[in-house]
Amino acid sequence: MSAAHPIPRHRAYRLLVTAAFRAEFQYGGNLLLTLAGGVVAQSVGLVFLWTVTTRFGDLGGWPMAEIAFLYGMRLTSHGLLVVPTSQLHSLDLAIRTGEFDRYLVRPAGPLMQLLCRRVHLPTLGDLATGIVVLSLAAHHVGFEPTPTALLYLGLALVGGALVEGACQLAVASLSFRMLSNLALRGLIDDIMNTFGGYPLKAFPDTARLALTYLLPVAFVAYLPAGVLLDRADGLQITPWLAYGAPLAGPLLYAAAYLLWRAQLRHYSSSGT
Amino acid sequence: MSGPIIEVEGLAKEYRRPVRVEGPLGGLRSLLSPRHVTKRAVDGVSFALAEGELVGYLGPNGAGKSTTIKMLTGILRPTAGLVRVAGLVPWRERERHARNIGVVFGQRTQLWWDLPLRDSLELIGRLYGVERARHRATTARFTELLGLGPFLDTPVRQLSLGQRMRGDLAAAMLPEPRILFLDEPTIGLDVVAKERIRDFIATRNRRDGTTIVLTTHDLDDVERLCRRIVLIDDGRVLYDGDVARLKERYAPHRRLVVQLADGAGWHGVRVPGVARDDEADDAPGQVTLRFDPAGTRVADVITAVLARHEVTDLSLVEPGLEGVVHRIYAARGAA
């Protein structure tokens, strides 16, 4: 009889995550340096934001501080997502090298194993920058930290992370049938990064609609930020959809996971 | 006696690959109206293994070996047919199945590349929920048997191929799986490392009763380890049975190599069924005879040779599996 016994998923996850962090630190204590790199990279975006708003005063009627709040929310969500899921980018690689075979012969979920294959430390810089910007901006816009507001903010941040994650997971799933769709994934990342942190009201209607319903960028931060900043009326969207924006994340992620499961059936392994 | 531990019936796997459309706007047309070619890599394979068997699964490159193993281990879903391993359908009950099997792919490692070997073994033990005391005991035993001690604390990426392979074997066997799949476990290894690994495999099979499926191009592995082989080519089973019977069927002849004394000439032997072997590459003063032991007694041949010649050395050569397999593929290719 085999000596193996089932273990709870959360324990398997903790084991694999710890191993990934340990592996990363084997390369020497360059944590601070990588973190600093992440912060600098994200700050470039902030400088751009600052330049735009000081030149035009506001965007779509949103003053600088409020845009910074929105930008901070989106960056924090992004950080919350990429710290644990940066390795989704390596799916093509894992399929091509046959590494993915290994995930399928182990008693743990293949997606969990893929996400835990490594950690990308600079992503911690994204998260840190996001939190700093959000905190500073919250102070400037006079955000009142009532329990309800804080709860809504927390849900919105997690929800936003899941919206972005759902888009990435859905596209990554296609890798099982058509290898290498990195271009498509890069495009989605670019759109999220470029537009996710700005008030969509500033864009033409077609762009705004596309960024709401085609690629749900609006649900990442724009809609919930509008609710928190008392701008729900100016969002050009049914209020209940704006208030319910944090729910979009879990729903979309569940759908993306089902797609992943369905596509996984088409996995055909590599040549050898 | 319970039923077989591995059942494979009418197993088939087709790969559909998109083909790029040639001509103007080829890329776009490939995307919009994709064309596919279908290749049948495994085409109706059936066999059954009893618990505790050690079977060699052989075939030339592209015969469908790896594809079969991938279906047995739960990596691929079959296009048609039935697979049952320890009562489970591998791809349908993947994680439960994973706890019953160990897998070693010779060409890639299952270990954590950047961590010391010790950590990988520890992680495997926890991931498979092996009871702590049992895990410690098994690790100690395997460390001893495979000589892992000197490199337990070395990161896997710095191990030599032979060391890594031993580490992989230990990791695969730590959860004490009922079935072990080995894909080219000795590829690229030196003689000493090969021997060590073969010993380990043989012992796991004999002592722990682990059922083992071995694919390899190294027929020495097979001769050393397997009593039964399944030979496949073109996705179908060519032969399934004893190694000894296979030799009888495809290479019934034995050879007697005679070394004549200095200056002595060859006068032939008059025993029915014995002939000089035309294919043999005889050195000066050396003569190779071939005969079928079913019809001709070895003693008679030797007596006849000694009666007419002055001889310094005699050796009897059994047919090697290498030659046998080679002959089967050659015959099939010619047909």
Side-chain angles (χ1 to χ4, degrees):
Chain A
M1 218 39 220
S2 159
H5 301 284
I7 63 167
R9 278 189 186 273
H10 62 87
R11 194 181 301 158
Y13 183 72
R14 209 174 55 219
L15 277 171
L16 295 173
V17 164
T18 323
F21 270 99
R22 218 156 358 114
E24 213 57 33
F25 285 121
Q26 294 269 324
Y27 285 112
N30 53 5
L31 173 63
L32 281 180
L33 207 64
T34 8
L35 264 178
V39 172
V40 168
Q42 284 303 333
S43 305
V44 174
L46 281 177
V47 171
F48 180 72
L49 171 71
W50 180 76
T51 317
V52 171
T53 40
T54 41
R55 176 156 295 192
F56 298 106
D58 59 32
L59 270 181
W62 290 43
M64 167 71 185
E66 292 190 4
I67 298 174
F69 185 81
L70 161 61
Y71 195 91
M73 273 186 74
R74 131 82 196 158
L75 195 52
T76 307
S77 281
H78 178 72
L80 285 176
L81 174 74
V82 288
V83 170
T85 68
S86 66
Q87 294 307 304
L88 196 59
H89 275 287
S90 307
L91 178 60
D92 291 30
L93 180 80
I95 292 177
R96 210 162 355 99
T97 57
E99 187 182 314
F100 203 84
D101 286 3
R102 184 178 82 199
Y103 305 156
L104 294 170
V105 297
R106 278 203 184 138
L111 181 58
M112 180 200 285
Q113 293 180 73
L114 172 72
L115 297 184
C116 295
R117 68 188 285 279
R118 290 193 68 172
V119 279
H120 189 53
L121 293 177
T123 54
L124 288 169
D126 293 12
L127 182 59
T129 317
I131 292 173
V132 170
V133 173
L134 181 59
S135 315
L136 292 176
H139 177 72
H140 276 283
V141 297
F143 174 73
E144 255 187 77
T146 61
T148 326
L150 279 179
L151 179 69
Y152 186 84
L153 177 63
L155 290 176
L157 290 174
V158 174
L162 289 175
V163 169
E164 187 177 342
C167 296
Q168 286 181 2
L169 184 62
V171 180
S173 305
L174 303 179
S175 297
F176 291 118
R177 295 173 94 163
M178 44 186 251
L179 278 177
S180 184
N181 47 28
L182 279 179
L184 184 54
R185 283 203 243 170
L187 179 68
I188 288 183
D189 265 6
D190 275 352
I191 295 177
M192 290 265 174
N193 280 321
T194 312
F195 301 107
Y198 295 100
L200 295 184
K201 225 180 142 188
F203 301 115
D205 279 352
T206 31
R208 186 177 49 79
L209 289 172
L211 292 173
T212 307
Y213 300 106
L214 202 59
L215 190 67
V217 177
F219 292 86
V220 176
Y222 173 58
L223 297 178
V227 169
L228 284 168
L229 297 169
D230 260 338
R231 288 182 167 273
D233 296 338
L235 293 175
Q236 298 159 299
I237 198 167
T238 350
W240 64 264
L241 209 51
Y243 282 98
L247 279 176
L251 290 176
L252 287 172
Y253 208 88
Y257 185 68
L258 289 179
L259 180 69
W260 161 274
R261 288 284 297 262
Q263 293 302 306
L264 182 58
R265 290 161 164 253
H266 297 284
Y267 177 60
S268 61
S269 188
S270 66
T272 53
Chain B
M1 180 72 200
S2 53
I5 191 163
I6 296 184
E7 286 172 273
V8 176
E9 235 182 84
L11 187 64
K13 178 72 187 176
E14 282 177 0
Y15 289 110
R16 270 178 96 230
R17 295 198 195 286
V19 215
R20 214 191 125 85
V21 180
E22 296 298 328
L25 295 177
L28 189 63
R29 280 161 60 201
S30 309
L31 194 67
L32 295 179
S33 58
R35 265 191 246 161
H36 296 270
V37 276
T38 305
K39 189 187 170 265
R40 219 170 163 83
V42 172
D43 189 10
V45 164
S46 303
F47 59 85
L49 301 192
E51 181 137 36
E53 276 199 271
L54 201 174
V55 170
Y57 195 64
L58 310 181
N61 288 330
K65 279 187 317 259
S66 289
T67 303
T68 314
I69 297 297
K70 282 174 182 171
M71 288 190 279
L72 292 180
T73 48
I75 293 171
L76 292 179
R77 290 164 59 106
T79 309
L82 179 140
V83 183
R84 235 172 230 291
V85 180
L88 302 176
V89 177
W91 51 269
R92 199 178 288 148
E93 293 147 288
R94 206 185 49 73
E95 288 185 34
R96 272 180 72 196
H97 171 68
R99 281 189 287 271
N100 284 330
I101 63 166
V103 184
V104 175
F105 296 116
Q107 324 235 24
R108 38 187 132 99
T109 186
Q110 317 243 38
L111 306 167
W112 278 260
W113 197 242
D114 295 312
L115 293 177
L117 177 57
R118 186 192 294 283
D119 293 25
S120 278
L121 299 181
E122 181 67 27
L123 272 163
I124 294 280
R126 289 177 185 271
L127 197 61
Y128 284 76
V130 181
E131 196 248 318
R132 299 306 298 152
R134 189 163 175 176
H135 175 73
R136 267 195 301 275
T138 320
T139 309
R141 194 153 51 97
F142 288 177
T143 303
E144 165 89 37
L145 282 173
L146 289 163
L148 308 178
F151 49 87
L152 262 183
D153 293 303
T154 311
V156 171
R157 70 189 131 88
Q158 288 172 12
L159 297 182
S160 74
L161 186 60
Q163 294 172 332
R164 209 211 70 204
M165 211 44 236
R166 284 185 267 160
D168 259 308
L169 255 184
M173 286 305 295
L174 269 180
E176 300 170 57
R178 290 173 72 187
I179 307 124
L180 176 64
F181 293 94
L182 297 166
D183 193 7
E184 301 276 356
T186 59
I187 197 165
L189 301 186
D190 65 47
V191 188
V192 182
K194 275 185 186 177
E195 256 331 288
R196 191 153 210 169
I197 282 176
R198 287 173 188 157
D199 262 346
F200 184 78
I201 296 171
T203 314
R204 295 282 69 72
N205 174 246
R206 217 175 36 237
R207 195 166 304 159
D208 306 343
T210 313
T211 309
I212 299 177
V213 180
L214 167 74
T215 76
T216 180
H217 282 295
D218 188 334
L219 294 170
D220 288 344
D221 286 349
V222 180
E223 293 219 67
R224 243 318 289 287
L225 295 168
C226 310
R227 276 191 48 211
R228 173 179 169 192
I229 61 175
V230 176
L231 247 179
I232 69 160
D233 193 16
D234 241 357
R236 294 164 194 265
V237 175
L238 277 190
Y239 176 86
D240 177 359
D242 259 37
V243 177
R245 263 222 330 257
L246 177 76
K247 288 183 183 172
E248 265 165 45
R249 199 160 112 191
Y250 288 91
H253 290 101
R254 286 210 202 146
R255 287 175 172 70
L256 183 69
V257 183
V258 181
Q259 184 66 51
L260 298 167
D262 269 352
W266 177 248
H267 310 296
V269 283
R270 288 203 197 85
V271 182
V274 179
R276 219 175 144 165
D277 187 1
D278 311 327
E279 293 166 23
D281 192 14
D282 287 335
Q286 201 178 49
V287 173
T288 303
L289 302 173
R290 48 178 272 181
F291 59 96
D292 185 346
T296 311
R297 285 170 52 201
V298 182
D300 292 348
V301 184
I302 294 177
T303 314
V305 169
L306 293 177
R308 305 184 60 179
H309 304 92
E310 201 182 325
V311 170
T312 55
D313 193 18
L314 274 179
S315 57
L316 194 62
V317 183
E318 299 271 337
L321 190 57
E322 186 91 42
V324 175
V325 170
H326 187 77
R327 200 160 301 168
I328 295 172
Y329 293 149
R332 201 174 146 75

